[in-house]
Amino acid sequence: MVNCFGLVTDNKEPVPLKSIDAQLEVKDHVATLVSTLTYENKEDKPLEAVFVFPLPGDAAVCHFSAQIGETHIVAEVKEKQQAQEEYDDALSSGQQAFLLEESEQSPDIFSLKVGRLPPGESASIRLEYVTELAVQADDGLRFCLPAVLNPRYQPQGSEGPSVQVTSVPASLVPYSLSFSAQVSSPRPISKIESSCSLEPLQYLNADQTKATVKLGGGHKFDRDIELLIYYKDAHQPSAVVEAGQASAKPGSLMGDPVVMVSLYPEFPQSVMSSRAACGEFVFLMDLSGSMGCPMNNSTPQETRISSARDTLLLLLKSLPMGCYFNIYSFGSSFEHIFPKSVEYSEKTMKEALEKVEKMESNLGGTEILRPLNHIYSQACIPKHPRQLFVFTDGEVRNTKEVTDLVKNNADSHRCFSFGIGEGASSALINGMAKEGGGQAQFITGADRMQPKVMQSLRFAMQPAVNDISVSWDLPKGVSATVLSPPITAIFQGQRSLIYAQLTGPEADGSVTVKYSLAGHPSQNQLHFNLKPAEDSELTVHRLAARTVIRSMESEERTRRGHQDEEMKKKVVELSIQSGVSSCFTAFIAVNKDSGKAVQGPLVRRNVPTVDHLMDPLIKLFHFTGDGDLDSGRSARSAAEPPQPHKDPLLQLVSLQNASGSWMLHEALAAVLGKTKEEVEKVNNEVWASILALIWLHGFKMDAKEEWELLAMKAASWIKAQNENIHPSVF
């Protein structure tokens, strides 16, 4: 079942949200966002406004307050049921009240209730959260402020009410948005990019370690606000020690200093140059109706599913001989190309490609649990570690069930996840990769899917990292209690974060991460000073608290019996102590100083969120016989079969054999820009493959990330033929 979305009705009912002001502060790789939402009740009745919106899945909501006229109310964190009861009681007695709570199904969805606004009254809501910024494949740090709440698919039979949100076209959004960002780092800021129009970047000092940027004028709400921040020397390790809260109890997480250690392991090049020729590669592709939407507004002819087909072509051509693979597709149901993973060969590759070319976004909704359960039920292949690649636009509501399932099977595989298109759930995409020891990637705006996916394939083909351990070298009298879950995966060029609670005097210390890479013992060490930073805003403490809360929530869901309540109690205690949201708590604010009670019946209004995908979604969904809105077959599923690839690179790739070689025939000659007669004398398979490699290096260097692996496979095949070929060819 899909949450009900639709255009506003003809009578254009007024909505109370008037403006959103968002101010972002980035310090190195940690971001703090302060949003102010202004409401105004222009109706002649008291109003309850409900605004549902997404936040980053790992965000720690740490402040919520309201300004009504001259009255300022700061919300408190309380156990969720208690907060809900206080909110209902306040409304029943005519008091103004505000309730902010996290969805129980997905940690990146929040609902804000603004209760009993009197006629003609306005209110400003201030919301603050902190979050870590994920490192992208090109070393950029990604921040995303979603402008839409995409429909989240709720599987049949799942519990919990659907969130009701009205969506409107971007041109009719009744509220304004302003956004600015201030960035600071120990290293120079090289650039800040965005899919939205930005005003020119302004540096605030000579060494370019501080800068500010603002959203350009005329923002049309047609996309998320996504920032990519690039630093020079981005892979330097760092450690930040933050002093505890003076009012907190010593010995508690908030009372003691907390250190955040950021490590970027560098692996020996001799080891990294060897690519694994083994493994089981399982590709799980979302074919729900929404995958028929355009990848971006500038190239509407390229849909998510067409880009996914091209990506699968590159993946299949890049796999090493001797590995195993399979491809699953899912929607309301799921399918697989082979009953179980098969050995990679010319025959199995061609069979898979024939079915990939026929893939359409016609499998209905987005139920990912069933195919995942099926994949995990398949026995692993000895000496072929399983690598799972999941592609989805992230429109699901049972996020926690999915990430828990991945976590429970983490010992048997690594999971690489890809969020496709605007509004993909960061909690789902990041959660699957984190719990599965892999990597998460987001493909938005004008991004091409292929380079990011091939980057992850290179990670998956790296030698496995084993025996990971973290040790602390601290002076006498100083101890460190690690708050982060154990590190389960380390990739070349990827950041690992460790939070630890410290006790003892200020001094120098170090942390060492040891691991074994392809049988070679290695380690990375970072020295740091235990003196806390002077400008403490408890950012590190709140992120550490969020890390602990998420771990306990996950553990609570996997337990059964009397221990559930005990774990829930610990989550509630830490949430209240740290002021950080959880699935068991909520922020509640009641205006008890408003004088006389607000009279009159209470009118409820759902605040619409802009939906720039509404037009295509109308085409992708249909109403079932019982009146429910359901993901149906897209218009594309009834269209003509997909046309052959016209891109020369993809044409060349499609002609490559599983071994890595090319046969010279008319189709290859056409890609190379030659006639059949011009190359007839080159009837040797080796030289045909050499010509293909020369063409790639001569004409497609800008897309090297996409074809590098299959070119390496081709070069290895050529060398194995023992032909008398000049070494410069390679």
Side-chain angles (χ1 to χ4, degrees):
M1 179 179 178
V2 176
N3 303 325
C4 295
F5 275 62
L7 295 174
V8 292
T9 57
D10 293 338
N11 59 7
K12 300 288 192 301
E13 289 186 349
V15 295
L17 182 63
K18 304 304 294 182
S19 66
I20 301 176
D21 175 69
Q23 298 181 13
L24 176 69
E25 182 179 13
V26 177
K27 293 184 177 180
D28 203 3
H29 55 267
V30 172
T32 301
L33 184 78
V34 178
S35 295
T36 303
L37 300 88
T38 301
Y39 294 82
E40 183 179 0
N41 182 10
K42 292 187 176 182
E43 302 191 21
D44 57 1
K45 304 171 185 176
L47 192 68
E48 180 188 21
V50 181
F51 186 50
V52 180
F53 55 97
L55 292 179
D58 291 329
V61 178
C62 53
H63 179 87
F64 173 47
S65 61
Q67 183 80 30
I68 306 174
E70 299 299 321
T71 305
H72 184 69
I73 317 164
V74 178
E76 299 178 74
V77 179
K78 295 187 177 182
E79 191 274 329
K80 182 175 284 189
Q81 184 174 349
Q82 179 185 349
Q84 291 171 339
E85 290 174 355
E86 288 188 18
Y87 177 81
D88 292 339
D89 289 345
L91 264 59
S92 299
S93 60
Q95 293 175 314
Q96 297 159 341
F98 305 84
L99 181 70
L100 177 70
E101 55 187 333
E102 175 185 313
S103 165
E104 293 184 1
Q105 287 79 33
S106 183
D108 63 339
I109 302 300
F110 284 77
S111 65
L112 170 61
K113 293 182 180 179
V114 181
R116 202 164 281 280
L117 271 180
E121 187 71 84
S122 62
S124 291
I125 308 300
R126 187 177 185 270
L127 173 70
E128 179 178 340
Y129 70 79
V130 292
T131 186
E132 304 161 359
L133 298 183
V135 182
Q136 301 301 287
D138 61 355
D139 295 338
L141 295 175
R142 180 180 185 265
F143 170 82
C144 182
L145 179 67
V148 301
L149 177 63
N150 277 348
R152 291 294 168 86
Y153 186 79
Q154 183 172 353
Q156 294 286 348
S158 63
E159 298 180 357
S162 297
V163 177
Q164 302 294 316
V165 183
T166 305
S167 296
V168 301
S171 60
L172 298 181
V173 174
Y175 48 86
S176 62
L177 169 67
S178 60
F179 175 84
S180 63
Q182 183 165 315
V183 182
S184 62
S185 171
R187 298 171 295 279
I189 303 160
S190 56
K191 60 180 177 178
I192 298 178
E193 296 180 346
S194 176
S195 58
C196 300
S197 174
L198 298 177
E199 293 183 4
L201 180 67
Q202 295 184 354
Y203 289 104
L204 303 179
N205 57 1
D207 57 6
Q208 298 186 341
T209 58
K210 293 184 178 181
T212 183
V213 69
K214 294 181 180 180
L215 185 66
H219 182 64
K220 300 299 184 183
F221 290 88
D222 60 345
R223 67 196 66 187
D224 296 346
I225 299 176
E226 181 184 54
L227 292 186
L228 292 172
I229 303 167
Y230 297 86
Y231 300 132
K232 295 180 180 177
D233 303 320
H235 292 283
Q236 289 183 359
S238 63
V240 176
V241 180
E242 185 178 78
Q245 192 174 20
S247 60
K249 180 182 177 181
S252 66
L253 188 152
M254 299 304 292
D256 286 342
V258 170
V259 60
M260 178 176 64
V261 177
S262 175
L263 294 172
Y264 290 87
E266 292 293 331
F267 298 155
Q269 186 58 39
S270 58
V271 177
M272 295 307 301
S273 61
S274 62
R275 296 286 176 181
C278 61
E280 179 194 10
F281 298 90
V282 180
F283 306 109
L284 179 57
M285 182 62 65
D286 186 345
L287 295 188
S288 61
S290 54
M291 285 290 288
C293 294
M295 282 293 292
N296 57 73
N297 294 330
S298 58
T299 55
Q301 71 277 9
E302 183 184 20
T303 61
R304 298 175 186 179
I305 186 60
S306 66
S307 181
R309 286 194 298 262
D310 294 344
T311 301
L312 282 174
L313 168 64
L314 284 169
L315 283 168
L316 288 174
K317 294 292 185 174
S318 301
L319 293 179
M321 296 294 288
C323 75
Y324 286 75
F325 80 103
N326 203 354
I327 300 175
Y328 290 76
S329 53
F330 71 96
S332 298
S333 59
F334 74 92
E335 303 170 351
H336 44 68
I337 291 182
F338 305 106
K340 62 179 182 179
S341 294
V342 297
E343 187 172 356
Y344 181 74
S345 66
E346 187 70 26
K347 179 178 180 296
T348 57
M349 182 195 74
K350 285 186 175 179
E351 185 177 346
L353 282 175
E354 287 176 0
K355 295 183 178 180
V356 167
E357 290 174 358
K358 298 176 183 178
M359 281 184 172
E360 289 294 334
S361 53
N362 57 3
L363 290 186
T366 314
E367 296 193 22
I368 194 172
L369 273 177
R370 288 179 59 204
L372 279 177
N373 271 312
H374 180 83
I375 291 169
Y376 293 144
S377 71
Q378 303 293 306
C380 293
I381 303 170
K383 298 183 179 180
H384 288 273
R386 179 173 288 167
Q387 316 284 351
L388 175 62
F389 287 67
V390 181
F391 301 83
T392 179
D393 52 15
E395 297 176 0
V396 302
R397 288 193 65 234
N398 55 340
T399 301
K400 292 179 181 178
E401 288 184 80
V402 175
T403 54
D404 285 346
L405 180 61
V406 174
K407 179 181 179 179
N408 293 337
N409 291 274
D411 292 341
S412 65
H413 79 304
R414 287 194 293 185
C415 181
F416 298 83
S417 52
F418 305 88
I420 305 170
E422 303 282 352
S425 167
S426 63
L428 177 71
I429 305 305
N430 287 327
M432 293 183 71
K434 184 177 181 179
E435 300 296 356
Q439 183 197 38
Q441 300 261 30
F442 291 87
I443 300 101
T444 60
D447 290 349
R448 281 175 54 80
M449 190 185 305
Q450 292 80 11
K452 293 191 174 185
V453 174
M454 299 310 293
Q455 169 78 34
S456 292
L457 180 60
R458 281 190 284 272
F459 283 153
M461 295 173 68
Q462 287 180 8
V465 177
N466 302 312
D467 303 325
I468 303 173
S469 65
V470 178
S471 60
W472 298 79
D473 184 11
L474 302 172
K476 186 177 180 179
V478 179
S479 64
T481 302
V482 178
L483 305 172
S484 307
I487 299 176
T488 58
I490 300 178
F491 295 108
Q492 172 76 17
Q494 291 299 293
R495 183 185 67 206
S496 298
L497 285 179
I498 304 172
Y499 295 96
Q501 182 177 338
L502 302 174
T503 58
E506 299 176 7
D508 290 335
S510 68
V511 61
T512 303
V513 178
K514 296 182 179 180
Y515 50 88
S516 176
L517 179 66
H520 300 273
S522 300
Q523 69 177 42
N524 289 101
Q525 189 175 51
L526 173 65
H527 296 272
F528 57 89
N529 188 275
L530 297 178
K531 182 178 180 180
E534 296 180 358
D535 59 342
S536 173
E537 297 176 356
L538 296 176
T539 302
V540 173
H541 279 75
R542 286 164 175 158
L543 287 172
R546 187 59 162 163
T547 298
V548 176
I549 287 171
R550 282 284 182 245
S551 296
M552 289 196 294
E553 286 175 339
S554 177
E555 187 176 350
E556 189 273 341
R557 291 194 300 271
T558 59
R559 291 183 173 186
R560 295 294 183 266
H562 68 280
Q563 291 179 312
D564 287 0
E565 287 301 317
E566 184 63 28
M567 187 63 67
K568 177 180 176 180
K569 181 180 177 181
K570 291 180 180 179
V571 171
V572 171
E573 288 177 352
L574 181 55
S575 177
I576 293 174
Q577 178 195 108
S578 62
V580 169
S581 63
S582 76
C583 66
F584 301 127
T585 55
F587 283 87
I588 174 69
V590 178
N591 183 6
K592 298 179 180 179
D593 301 324
S594 57
K596 62 181 181 180
V598 180
Q599 303 298 320
L602 190 63
V603 179
R604 179 165 176 155
R605 291 283 183 263
N606 291 328
V607 178
T609 58
V610 57
D611 190 356
H612 64 274
L613 300 179
M614 183 51 60
D615 288 340
L617 283 173
I618 291 173
K619 300 174 184 177
L620 292 170
F621 293 98
H622 69 278
F623 283 92
T624 60
D626 59 4
D628 290 334
L629 186 62
D630 192 15
S631 297
R633 292 179 174 270
S634 71
R636 300 178 185 277
S637 64
E640 298 177 1
Q643 297 299 311
H645 294 296
K646 296 182 179 180
D647 180 89
L649 171 60
L650 294 177
Q651 283 185 341
L652 182 75
V653 170
S654 67
L655 297 172
Q656 188 183 31
N657 298 321
S659 63
S661 65
W662 276 270
M663 296 292 293
L664 187 62
H665 44 60
E666 200 166 348
L668 179 62
V671 174
L672 300 177
K674 303 293 182 182
T675 63
K676 183 180 179 181
E677 291 72 21
E678 286 179 301
V679 292
E680 271 186 342
K681 59 181 179 180
V682 185
N683 56 8
N684 184 296
E685 191 174 354
V686 172
W687 283 104
S689 302
I690 291 173
L691 285 176
L693 289 182
I694 292 174
W695 185 88
L696 287 172
H697 283 85
F699 296 98
K700 289 296 177 180
M701 283 301 292
D702 60 334
K704 185 178 180 181
E705 284 183 321
E706 301 180 30
W707 54 259
E708 185 177 23
L709 287 179
L710 61 87
M712 291 171 60
K713 185 165 68 169
S716 297
W717 179 86
I718 294 170
K719 289 180 180 179
Q721 306 312 303
N722 296 318
E723 295 287 343
N724 184 22
I725 302 169
H726 196 278
S728 63
V729 169
F730 309 106

